[in-house]
């Protein structure tokens, strides 16, 4: 029995490792494409000299929509974390797989996601268009970035990939931190699982879940700022001037990350004596 | 009344429990009679807590938990298909540490009624007052019902936990070392209360204090190394034990 479990564990380890390698490989290929193709595209863009004002405006309207979507992704991530932590046993392979992927994705800095996004926007817009099924504009070659659903899909996918793992990880941590005795004290009074989650776990874990959400949003804002910065510098001839929206998003990111740390800190100082946790 | 007492409320047959590969309890069999205090004594890590937590199926949350044997509550088998929320409303429990919820004293006591769907404030008021009076805490907290229980002493908090458990109106109430962290005066209060409660419900009491078990219980069982060495009337266990190890334990030479 013992050797069986170790064999199963070894198998899972191998699967996880191979998935990691596949992801790293795909990321590497994408990055390579970014390096090669962005240069080509940028030269096209410069030669065509397309509307420097119109393009970023489209991008911004998309970005606001994408930020809204990341907010929804955060809510979905919280739901996922609840399911993983509260319903699936620790030995479940789905849970272990997702936790492994989450660990990999949270480790990737948001800068890389930004570059990944540019790679998808510029290089794979056509492919995504087929998946998204939106009409291709006539002058697709002339203007590399179009305001259509394709761009939105690409941006949204990147943001979700960036936001969800952070949310899942922090929410799981928050749920895990609620000591078992508090849950048991409610269970022995005949409370159901939902009642325990609603009345005991949620009030105690809420601040930390909120802080995790803020952290994830801050990541999204930072990457958005980066994208705007790169695009704008790319398309404005007079360089060296900071675009206003770039600063807006960057300060948004900073504000959210500070808020997240503050929430955790206040939670820690106020929550210490409210419940008799085992010492 | 007598015929009702004869039928055991809880019947355990050949219970074995494992955590992973480690066997915690070995082939226990005993019966718990209604409206009596049944105490389980034994040194630390002998399986007292595991045993009492089996009765309200609280061990189900532990991964790698495995059990064989039968537990019958009022003649009904308890197994994985049992409706645990309904079961736990009939079998209450008080832990070693007073674990109170982060809300007012009133809401703590009213918790059980609220999750059962009672919302009328008059009804809740009567439940809260009745159970706080039962535990003798009413006079002390009457004026601070809307405040959090942090300011209460450990003993008062434990009494509040008992009031909260009683508010569900259980038939069996399990105490898992309720005086483990209390001073002697508070301990006496709880012990007196436990004796009084036998009018309302059946009590199961796990403790590692021999004298406490002798004072409180009608029936006692001695657990040692996961085995039930001896089970019988408290007086007999403490004055005329059959097994050598029981004698050594109750006289203080073992454990």
């Amino acid at each position: 029995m013992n050797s069986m479990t170790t064999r199963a564990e070894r198998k899972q380890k191998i699967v996880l490792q191979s998935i990691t390698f596949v992801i790293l490989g795909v990321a590497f290929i994408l990055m390579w494409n970014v390096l090669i193709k962005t240069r080509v595209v940028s030269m096209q863009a410069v030669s065509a000299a397309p509307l420097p004002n119109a393009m970023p405006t489209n991008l911004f309207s998309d970005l606001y929509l994408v930020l809204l979507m990341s907010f929804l992704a955060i809510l979905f991530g919280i739901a996922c974390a609840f399911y993983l932590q509260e319903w699936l046993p620790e030995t479940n392979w789905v849970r272990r797989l997702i936790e492994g992927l989450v660990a990999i994705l949270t480790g990737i800095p948001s800068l890389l996601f930004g570059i990944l996004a540019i790679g998808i926007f510029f290089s794979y817009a056509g492919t995504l268009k087929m998946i998204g099924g939106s009409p291709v504009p006539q002058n697709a070659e002339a203007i590399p970035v179009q305001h259509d659903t394709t761009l939105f899909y690409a941006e949204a996918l990147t943001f979700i990939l960036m936001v969800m793992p952070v949310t899942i990880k922090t929410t799981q941590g928050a749920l895990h931190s609620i000591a078992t005795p508090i849950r048991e004290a409610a269970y022995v009074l005949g409370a159901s699982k939902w009642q325990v989650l609603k009345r005991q776990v949620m009030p105690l874990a809420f601040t930390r879940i909120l802080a995790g959400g803020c952290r994830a949003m801050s990541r999204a804002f930072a990457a958005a700022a980066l994208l705007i910065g790169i695009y704008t510098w790319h398309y404005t001839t007079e360089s060296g001037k900071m675009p206003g929206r770039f600063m807006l998003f960057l300060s948004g990111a900073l504000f959210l990350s500070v808020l997240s740390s503050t929430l955790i800190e206040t939670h820690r100082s106020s929550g210490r004596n409210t419940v008799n946790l085992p010492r | 009344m007598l015929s009702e007492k004869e039928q055991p409320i809880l019947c355990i047959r050949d219970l074995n429990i494992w955590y992973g590969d480690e066997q915690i309890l070995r082939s226990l069999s005993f019966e718990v009679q209604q409206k009596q205090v049944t105490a389980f004594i034994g040194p630390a890590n002998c399986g007292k807590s595991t045993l009492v937590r089996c009765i309200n199926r609280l061990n189900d949350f532990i991964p790698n938990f495995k059990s064989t044997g039968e537990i019958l509550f009022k003649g009904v088998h308890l197994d994985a298909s049992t409706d645990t929320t309904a079961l736990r409303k009939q079998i209450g429990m008080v832990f070693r540490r007073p674990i109170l919820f982060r809300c007012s004293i009133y809401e703590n006591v009213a918790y059980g009624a609220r999750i059962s769907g009672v919302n009328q404030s008059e009804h809740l008021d009567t439940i809260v007052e009745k159970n706080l009076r039962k535990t003798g805490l009413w006079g002390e907290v009457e004026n601070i019902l809307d405040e959090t229980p942090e300011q209460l002493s450990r003993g008062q908090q434990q009494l509040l936990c008992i009031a909260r458990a009683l508010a569900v109106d259980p038939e069996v109430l399990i105490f898992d070392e309720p005086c483990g962290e209390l001073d002697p005066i508070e301990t006496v209060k709880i012990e007196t209360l436990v004796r009084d409660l036998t009018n309302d419900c059946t009590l199961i009491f796990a403790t590692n204090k021999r004298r406490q078990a002798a004072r409180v219980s009608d029936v006692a069982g001695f657990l040692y190394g996961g085995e039930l060495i001896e089970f019988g009337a408290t007086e007999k266990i403490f004055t005329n034990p059959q097994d050598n190890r029981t004698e050594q334990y109750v006289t203080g030479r073992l454990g």
Side-chain angles (χ1 to χ4, degrees):
Chain A
M1 182 148 176
N2 223 339
S3 64
M4 282 260 293
T5 51
T6 48
R7 201 182 300 157
E9 275 170 14
R10 211 176 300 149
K11 213 169 165 185
Q12 276 176 339
K13 210 173 158 189
I14 290 167
V15 169
L16 268 179
Q17 277 173 347
S18 40
I19 288 170
T20 316
F21 279 122
V22 168
I23 289 172
L24 283 178
V26 170
F28 180 76
I29 293 166
L30 279 174
M31 297 271 283
W32 186 254
N33 275 320
V34 173
L35 287 177
I36 301 292
K37 289 191 184 169
T38 42
R39 282 185 62 188
V40 179
V41 172
S42 68
M43 274 163 66
Q44 281 177 353
V46 170
S47 62
L51 6 130
N53 294 321
M55 202 282 307
T57 320
N58 289 341
L59 179 76
F60 292 138
S61 63
D62 263 3
L63 272 179
Y64 287 126
L65 208 56
V66 162
L67 286 177
L68 183 72
M69 252 198 85
S70 352
F71 179 70
L72 296 179
I74 286 173
L75 293 185
F76 185 66
I78 291 172
C80 277
F82 264 89
Y83 180 67
L84 288 182
Q85 188 71 23
E86 301 290 331
W87 272 273
L88 291 183
E90 257 174 64
T91 43
N92 185 288
W93 69 271
V94 176
R95 180 170 164 180
R96 292 178 70 154
L97 179 74
I98 294 178
E99 280 176 355
L101 288 175
V102 161
I104 294 164
L105 286 172
T106 42
I108 298 174
S110 52
L111 176 84
L112 289 187
F113 276 110
I115 294 172
L116 184 81
I118 297 174
I120 294 175
F121 293 167
F122 278 104
S123 326
Y124 295 101
T127 324
L128 277 159
K129 206 162 284 170
M130 286 196 293
I131 302 166
S134 69
V136 186
Q138 288 300 308
N139 51 351
E141 290 86 2
I143 305 158
V145 181
Q146 286 294 325
H147 178 71
D148 55 35
T149 45
T150 317
L151 183 58
F152 176 71
Y153 282 126
E155 288 176 16
L157 282 174
T158 321
F159 276 84
I160 287 169
L161 207 62
M162 187 165 54
V163 158
M164 282 253 293
V166 180
T167 320
I168 290 178
K169 203 172 184 182
T170 47
T171 309
Q172 269 195 304
L175 293 176
H176 186 73
S177 74
I178 307 302
T180 324
I182 298 173
R183 295 162 187 258
E184 284 183 346
Y187 278 125
V188 295
L189 294 170
S192 66
K193 188 153 198 157
W194 272 112
Q195 286 167 330
V196 173
L197 282 180
K198 196 180 127 203
R199 289 166 177 263
Q200 264 63 53
V201 177
M202 262 318 264
L204 289 168
F206 185 73
T207 321
R208 278 190 65 179
I209 293 174
L210 195 68
C214 283
R215 232 182 85 196
M217 274 311 263
S218 133
R219 251 188 136 196
F221 267 86
L226 186 84
L227 278 180
I228 292 166
I230 288 177
Y231 273 124
T232 326
W233 282 323
H234 202 79
Y235 284 103
T236 46
T237 40
E238 301 157 52
S239 55
K241 213 179 151 192
M242 282 283 198
R245 305 228 187 193
F246 172 71
M247 292 308 284
L248 184 74
F249 275 82
L250 204 62
S251 45
L254 196 67
F255 171 73
L256 281 168
S257 65
V258 170
L259 180 67
S260 139
S261 324
T262 322
L263 276 175
I264 288 175
E265 203 49 50
T266 49
H267 178 59
R268 207 186 290 159
S269 54
S270 72
R272 195 168 286 150
N273 294 320
T274 44
V275 199
N276 287 306
L277 291 170
R279 268 164 253 163
Chain B
M1 195 68 197
L2 199 73
S3 62
E4 202 183 84
K5 274 206 164 184
E6 276 168 6
Q7 192 203 350
I9 190 161
L10 198 71
C11 186
I12 290 184
R13 290 188 203 130
D14 196 25
L15 182 72
N16 289 285
I17 286 173
W18 292 266
Y19 289 153
D21 292 337
E22 192 188 352
Q23 189 164 8
I24 306 293
L25 295 177
R26 290 160 208 276
S27 152
L28 304 192
S29 298
F30 61 89
E31 286 176 351
V32 174
Q33 302 297 327
Q34 277 186 22
K35 313 249 160 125
Q36 280 192 343
V37 182
T38 306
F40 289 98
I41 50 170
N45 290 326
C46 67
K48 299 186 295 286
S49 291
T50 309
L51 173 61
V52 295
R53 286 162 62 95
C54 257
I55 299 167
N56 60 358
R57 298 200 68 81
L58 208 54
N59 286 331
D60 291 8
F61 298 113
I62 297 168
N64 303 327
F65 169 79
K66 204 171 66 186
S67 74
T68 61
E70 291 179 330
I71 304 175
L72 282 95
F73 174 63
K74 294 199 289 186
V76 179
H77 277 278
L78 303 186
D79 50 35
S81 63
T82 312
D83 177 7
T84 46
T85 57
L87 176 74
R88 290 185 192 128
K89 277 173 189 159
Q90 291 178 296
I91 305 180
M93 189 166 187
V94 176
F95 298 94
R96 178 189 171 92
R97 291 193 176 89
I99 302 151
L100 291 159
F101 303 136
R102 199 157 68 158
C103 49
S104 66
I105 294 172
Y106 181 95
E107 285 301 325
N108 262 289
V109 182
Y111 187 92
R114 277 210 196 274
I115 57 170
S116 306
V118 179
N119 278 320
Q120 307 96 314
S121 57
E122 311 94 62
H123 196 170
L124 286 174
D125 287 346
T126 31
I127 289 174
V128 170
E129 186 177 339
K130 190 181 101 188
N131 290 291
L132 283 173
R133 275 190 199 285
K134 227 186 250 178
T135 51
L137 210 57
W138 178 252
E140 293 161 54
V141 300
E142 194 180 354
N143 298 317
I144 52 166
L145 281 177
D146 290 330
E147 291 169 38
T148 50
E150 286 162 50
Q151 50 185 306
L152 301 177
S153 73
R154 278 258 160 181
Q156 286 174 319
Q157 288 187 353
Q158 191 63 294
L159 285 170
L160 187 58
C161 281
I162 297 173
R164 186 178 64 187
L166 286 173
V168 189
D169 219 2
E171 287 178 51
V172 178
L173 192 53
I174 300 167
F175 288 84
D176 188 2
E177 284 197 44
C179 309
E181 292 191 349
L182 303 184
D183 66 39
I185 297 166
E186 293 168 333
T187 305
V188 169
K189 269 189 196 170
I190 300 229
E191 285 176 11
T192 325
L193 175 63
V194 166
R195 284 308 317 175
D196 293 343
L197 287 177
T198 48
N199 297 323
D200 300 326
C201 50
T202 311
L203 293 130
I204 297 169
F205 204 93
T207 177
N208 56 12
K209 292 178 184 157
R210 310 167 181 90
R211 290 174 177 280
Q212 187 172 52
R215 282 191 297 266
V216 160
S217 63
D218 301 306
V219 179
F222 172 54
L223 275 165
Y224 187 69
E227 284 174 69
L228 190 61
I229 307 289
E230 206 166 337
F231 187 80
T234 307
E235 220 182 292
K236 195 161 156 280
I237 295 269
F238 279 90
T239 55
N240 186 22
Q242 300 300 305
D243 194 282
N244 193 24
R245 285 166 291 182
T246 317
E247 193 196 340
Q248 285 186 333
Y249 184 75
V250 297
T251 52
R253 275 176 286 158
L254 181 76

